[in-house]
Amino acid sequence: MKTVAIVLAAGSGSRMQSDVKKQYMEIGGKPLIYYSLKAFEESIIDDIVLVVSRGDVPYVTKEIVEKYKFDKVTAVVEGGLARYHSVRLGLQAAAADCDYAFIHDGARPFINRDIILRALQAVKEYKACVVGMPAKDTIKIADEKGFAASTPDRNLMWTVQTPQCFAYKMILELYQRLDREEGDLMAKGINITDDAMVVEYYTDTKVKLVEGSYDNIKITTPEDIAVAEAILGRK
């Protein structure tokens, strides 16, 4: 059995209001992307493919991969215009004999070995799983005018995180199909916002929900940096 982690770090981080891309901003004296790479480096994952912004490959290779000795990183590749382009490029850069792919947002620094192990157990059994946590808040479905249209049962609501994990050949083929049919999907107004949606749209495979952690936050805005520093200090 061979596993690969596709770590996505190709975003612009426009909401961070900083000249430094968020994946390279420091928390606890290390660049943000360091923490998720370290977690996968010290886990049961065999290979890591790091997907970065255009033009960043030399910098990331020297200042992050080589500097911190992330020996499991087998490829550093440029991403695409949208997240799903970057995922496809990352999957295509992985070894052809992979069995399972873990797709992870590099802006989530607090992934850990326990989460990775739970996800591996689930993906081996179900072929598709996503990490997440039960929603703490009541969720409202809005109508097109911004009014509350319905309130789903909170006990059934989850907030989805990453990694999202799949049988490698299946998810690679689905992303390649998505690439071919991108124009048709856009014409239909279908917006793919996470990896599980690709499986849900194209197949009958059910996606298993796996417990992550409320600490497994995504760093998106300046306020998130302060939260991340507090979590890091507690750990």
Side-chain angles (χ1 to χ4, degrees):
M1 184 186 68
K2 188 169 185 177
T3 55
V4 61
I6 311 297
V7 179
L8 305 173
S12 62
S14 56
R15 284 177 286 180
M16 192 56 71
Q17 303 170 16
S18 171
D19 293 334
V20 179
K21 294 176 182 177
K22 69 177 179 182
Q23 53 267 40
Y24 310 137
M25 295 178 69
E26 290 194 356
I27 61 171
K30 299 286 195 308
L32 177 63
I33 189 63
Y34 163 89
Y35 294 96
S36 54
L37 290 173
K38 183 174 185 288
F40 284 117
E41 179 78 21
E42 295 177 350
S43 75
I44 47 79
I45 293 294
D46 296 299
D47 295 336
I48 303 170
V49 173
L50 181 54
V51 186
V52 301
S53 302
R54 291 181 179 178
D56 284 0
V57 171
Y59 170 81
V60 171
T61 301
K62 180 179 179 181
E63 297 298 329
I64 295 178
V65 176
E66 294 178 357
K67 179 177 179 179
Y68 296 108
K69 295 179 174 59
F70 291 128
D71 297 328
K72 288 186 179 181
V73 175
T74 57
V76 181
V77 299
E78 291 187 350
L81 294 176
R83 182 187 185 279
Y84 56 87
H85 297 136
S86 295
V87 174
R88 176 180 56 80
L89 292 166
L91 289 168
Q92 290 176 173
D97 61 345
C98 283
D99 296 293
Y100 301 105
F102 287 54
I103 303 169
H104 184 66
D105 291 328
R108 291 186 186 272
F110 300 118
I111 179 70
N112 59 50
R113 283 179 288 182
D114 290 339
I115 295 174
I116 293 169
L117 284 172
R118 288 196 294 269
L120 178 60
Q121 291 169 355
V123 74
K124 286 167 63 177
E125 183 172 357
Y126 301 105
K127 295 178 61 177
C129 71
V130 298
V131 167
M133 291 298 288
K136 293 181 177 181
D137 300 319
T138 296
I139 306 297
K140 296 287 185 182
I141 305 298
D143 64 18
E144 64 278 2
K145 295 182 180 179
F147 291 94
S150 63
T151 306
D153 184 352
R154 187 176 67 182
N155 293 324
L156 302 178
M157 299 294 105
W158 281 56
T159 55
V160 173
Q161 305 172 352
T162 65
Q164 302 194 5
C165 312
F166 309 91
Y168 172 74
K169 290 182 180 178
M170 176 187 75
I171 197 65
L172 174 61
E173 291 173 359
L174 292 179
Y175 262 103
Q176 290 173 334
R177 180 176 176 182
L178 174 62
D179 184 59
R180 295 192 301 269
E181 300 179 4
E182 179 181 10
D184 292 337
L185 294 178
M186 292 178 65
K188 294 177 182 177
I190 298 171
N191 183 26
I192 302 294
T193 57
D194 78 342
D195 312 297
M197 283 187 67
V198 182
V199 175
E200 294 160 0
Y201 183 76
Y202 281 123
T203 78
D204 295 326
T205 300
K206 290 186 177 295
V207 179
K208 180 67 173 176
L209 296 170
V210 177
E211 181 184 348
S213 167
Y214 288 116
D215 283 349
N216 189 23
I217 64 171
K218 185 176 182 180
I219 309 301
T220 304
T221 64
E223 294 79 10
D224 296 330
I225 293 290
V227 175
E229 292 277 10
I231 294 173
L232 191 63
R234 172 161 49 82
K235 289 181 179 296

